[in-house]
Amino acid sequence: MEIILVISLILLLVLGALFVIPRSNNNGKGKEVQSRNSGMTSRSYTKKEVSTHNTRKDCWIIIKDKVYNVTPYVEEHPGGDEILNNAGGDSTEGFLGL
């Protein structure tokens, strides 16, 4: 039952994070991010760069090779600080319940 709750909370996190930064699949190397406004590639990020965004005031997570800036959502997250467990890293397993 607890695992279902965790999965549900993570799902709500992703649905609430409408400010998704689309990512291309590039095997962990620098990944291109498309700009939401222009549809053009704006810059690429590495996992190392994403890892620097690991605090309550600057929180990015990776789910299935896509980066989500969830900073505005941290305080509203129904699971509390659970969202910070993988801040700056890959949250795919937690999101998918693996």
Side-chain angles (χ1 to χ4, degrees):
M1 182 69 176
E2 186 174 311
I3 195 89
I4 293 171
L5 178 61
V6 170
I7 292 170
S8 298
L9 293 176
I10 293 173
L11 180 60
L12 286 173
L13 159 77
V14 173
L15 292 175
L18 297 176
F19 41 87
V20 176
I21 303 172
R23 303 295 302 256
S24 67
N25 191 358
N26 202 349
N27 293 330
K29 296 178 180 153
K31 297 180 180 175
E32 295 180 351
V33 178
Q34 288 187 341
S35 170
R36 294 175 75 192
N37 297 329
S38 66
M40 299 172 56
T41 300
S42 60
R43 102 160 258 207
S44 62
Y45 295 97
T46 63
K47 288 185 179 183
K48 185 176 180 181
E49 289 174 300
V50 173
S51 72
T52 63
H53 301 275
N54 60 2
T55 66
R56 178 180 299 281
K57 302 271 186 206
D58 184 21
C59 184
W60 291 10
I61 60 173
I62 301 169
I63 298 176
K64 296 178 78 176
D65 292 324
K66 293 184 180 180
V67 174
Y68 297 82
N69 177 354
V70 295
T71 306
Y73 187 66
V74 169
E75 298 300 324
E76 299 174 23
H77 187 261
D81 288 345
E82 197 69 27
I83 193 172
L84 298 173
N85 288 346
N86 292 309
D90 195 320
S91 297
T92 303
E93 286 186 15
F95 175 72
L96 297 176
L98 302 174

